[in-house]
Structures are given as C-alpha cells and as structure tokens.
Amino acid sequence: MVSRPLRSPRGAQLLTPEAIAERLARPALPADPLDLHAIALRGGAALMHAAVLVPLVCHPEETRILLTQRTEHLDDHASQISFPGGRVEPRDVDREDTALREAEEEIGLARSKVTVLGRLPEYDLPSGFRITPVVGWLEPPLELTLDPFEVAGMFEVPLGYFLDPRNYQRRQYRFGGRHRHYLAIPYEGRYIWGATAGMLHTLCRVLQD
C-alpha cells in the first residue's frame, strides 16, 4: 500500500491511508445534522442488512472515489448513483466480506486489490435497509468488468470534491405522506443523492475533523 499524501481543500491536513484508517477507528460521530434522510425507518418494516464498498482509488496526481450508476430495471434504487454493494448473505463472514463480494460481482474488483481501512457509521434508509459502508484503498492498475445486469456505468470523482462542504445541498421530497430531507451533490451533469450522498458527507466529516 503506497502512502501518498492527499491535501484537503483547506490545505490543513495530509491524508494518507494510515491517517484515514486512524480517523475511521475513532468513536462514531453524532448524527449528521444536515442529513435527516437516514434517521427514520419505515414503520413495521423488517430490517434488511447491506454493505457497500467506498473505494478510494490512489492515482499519481490525486485520490478519487469510484462510483457506479445502477441499471434502470432493478427493484431497489434503480438508476441511482451508488457504491458497489448489496444485501448481506448468510455465507458472508462479516460486512467487509459482503462489501468485497459485491464489488467483485458488480464491477469485477479483485479482493486482492483492496486494502480495507475501516467502516463509516451504519446508515439507515426509510425503505428498511441498514447499510454498512466499508472504506477501501485501491492502487491502480485496476482491471474492472461491469455486470451489465446491475451496473450501467462507472466513474470517478476527486476525493477533494467531497471533502468540500460547499458542494452539498439539502433538499426534500415526499415519502410515506411525509416530507423528508436528503443531501444531494451535483457533479458534472450527474446527481448524487440520498444514501450515497449521506455516506459521502459522513466521510467528509470524519476526514475533516
């Protein structure tokens, strides 16, 4: 694992894989005051556990986050921008195992290419999903093959973009007869919102602490 430094937008800190892992290991942050999308599960819904991989890709010039675009025919979160991931299966050893398995199935990312740095706090969705975000460090070159059934496309965004709080917007929608707030992150014609934006904002808070 190469310890290349990454400067935050404020220029105050150098973020290496070791520094990121240390911050992820700290006690969980209090609930995000900007993201109310995650705090209320649908009444009576059975809790469904899932895990996603938050892939930090270390390029020579900067560290970037890899994201996927889900296909439009999926039952859950169709067409949304997301991290590779999915439901926990009985054969999975832990949440890291789930995240790595799903990333391998969805984008062909070999487990050997991922150094797990830690977890972000669990993220609850009104639909009944409880998501564990697992942060991983990737060193190119990467040989990736998308599963066309689940993944319509893939792209990367500089980590520094997500570390700037000014790039986050708070919006609202109506769900289950109630107005709910959520975070959104516009980026080069794309619209990152909901759980993915919420987890990215949590990562921002952890790394900018």
Side-chain angles (χ1 to χ4, degrees), residues 4 6 32 48 61 108 136 178 181 206:
R4 293 197 183 100
L6 168 72
D32 191 337
M48 296 173 286
E61 70 283 0
R178 297 173 55 192
H181 294 90
V206 169

Side-chain angles (χ1 to χ4, degrees), residues 65-126:
I65 292 186
L66 186 151
L67 294 158
T68 65
Q69 179 92 43
R70 294 169 63 82
T71 52
E72 61 184 19
H73 63 263
L74 296 176
D75 294 333
D76 298 316
H77 313 292
S79 300
Q80 291 185 15
I81 293 172
S82 65
F83 297 115
R87 301 189 189 202
V88 173
E89 296 186 0
R91 61 191 172 104
D92 295 336
V93 175
D94 50 26
R95 297 298 185 264
E96 286 77 10
D97 192 30
T98 301
L100 294 173
R101 173 183 56 75
E102 287 285 343
E104 192 165 24
E105 292 175 359
E106 290 184 10
I107 63 174
L109 176 62
R111 292 172 178 242
S112 61
K113 298 294 291 186
V114 184
T115 300
V116 174
L117 301 182
R119 299 181 181 183
L120 292 170
E122 291 180 328
Y123 195 95
D124 290 344
L125 294 179

